[in-house]
């Protein structure tokens, strides 16, 4: 059984991958940059983790599904999927073009749906699994300067709750980690501290599952 993270970059993505590797799980890393993946994989391998990487664009459902299938073949069935991809661009409603909003939704929401649909059938068949999504405070407390991200995270939150209703009855724990602050090392929003929340959600027993964990530092 393996752990896979979509949006495996430095910072939070790296911290989450490192934390699940410490649980003894093979780790699959998906991102757009092959060079970035190589750097992350090297660091995890030095700690003794079994690591696989796959290049994919979260906005491209076909490439994402292919990457997840490849990692499952190499590392084993996905027990935990973390969707950590997001489009981080500034823009007020008057400045945001329709194309830019579509780009946000493609990464923030459509990619999350594609990733979940790629691994959920196996989880349903086994009767267990965990789907975790990185949310953001702008979903609940919108800020005009980051309209695209806020809309994307709000839609992701809704999608995750709908998944929790459907998949929860089939043994799959679905939850969002909603982060109300800027992720930065050596602060109350340090990546390592936040990464612990993902493991905590995965460890929750059926009947005690939360669908959203608010991290406020």
């Amino acid at each position: 059984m393996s752990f896979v993270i979509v949006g495996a970059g430095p910072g939070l993505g790296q911290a989450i991958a490192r934390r699940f590797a410490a649980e003894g799980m093979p780790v699959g890393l998906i991102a757009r940059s092959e060079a970035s993946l190589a750097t992350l994989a090297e660091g995890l391998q030095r700690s003794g983790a079994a690591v696989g990487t796959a290049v994919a664009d979260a906005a491209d459902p076909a490439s994402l599904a292919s990457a997840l299938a490849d990692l499952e073949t190499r590392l084993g069935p996905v027990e935990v999927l973390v969707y950590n991809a997001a489009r981080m661009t500034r823009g007020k409603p008057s400045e945001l073009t329709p194309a830019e909003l579509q780009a946000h939704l493609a990464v923030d929401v459509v990619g999350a749906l594609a990733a979940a649909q790629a691994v959920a059938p196996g989880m349903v068949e086994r009767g267990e699994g965990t789907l975790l999504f990185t949310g953001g405070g702008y979903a609940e407390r919108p800020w005009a300067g980051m309209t695209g991200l806020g809309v994307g995270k709000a839609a992701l939150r809704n999608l995750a709750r709908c998944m929790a209703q459907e998949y929860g009855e089939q043994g799959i724990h679905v939850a969002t980690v909603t982060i109300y602050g800027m992720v930065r090392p050596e602060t109350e929003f340090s990546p390592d501290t936040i990464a612990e929340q993902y493991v905590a959600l995965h460890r929750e027993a059926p009947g005690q599952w939360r669908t959203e964990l608010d991290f406020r530092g």
Side-chain angles (χ1 to χ4, degrees), residues 12-47:
L12 182 58
Q14 180 181 39
I16 295 170
R18 184 169 55 239
R19 186 60 188 82
F20 276 96
E23 295 290 299
M25 302 177 73
V27 172
L29 308 172
I30 297 176
R32 289 184 301 171
S33 169
E34 189 170 353
S36 175
L37 285 172
T39 300
L40 293 178
E42 183 180 355
L44 289 168
Q45 288 166 340
R46 282 200 300 268
S47 69

Side-chain angles (χ1 to χ4, degrees), residues 46-127:
R46 282 200 300 268
S47 69
V51 183
T53 65
V55 175
D57 184 346
D60 181 349
S63 74
L64 200 50
S66 177
L68 285 161
D70 176 51
L71 288 175
E72 281 204 288
T73 298
R74 288 190 277 152
L75 301 175
V78 176
E79 178 179 350
V80 183
L81 172 73
V82 171
Y83 190 85
N84 186 58
R87 184 176 173 85
M88 307 292 291
T89 57
R90 290 179 176 269
K92 297 177 182 180
S94 60
E95 303 164 341
L96 189 67
T97 68
E100 286 170 338
L101 181 57
Q102 287 178 326
H104 271 282
L105 294 174
V107 174
D108 299 344
V109 189
V110 178
L113 177 65
Q117 288 180 339
V119 300
M123 293 180 175
V124 170
E125 185 176 349
R126 296 188 300 274

Side-chain angles (χ1 to χ4, degrees), residues 180-203:
Y180 288 84
M182 296 296 294
V183 180
R184 290 178 180 148
E186 300 181 6
T187 71
E188 58 187 358
F189 288 93
S190 76
D192 290 337
T193 300
I194 297 172
E196 291 290 340
Q197 310 309 310
Y198 290 78
V199 174
L201 283 168
H202 173 56
R203 287 177 172 171

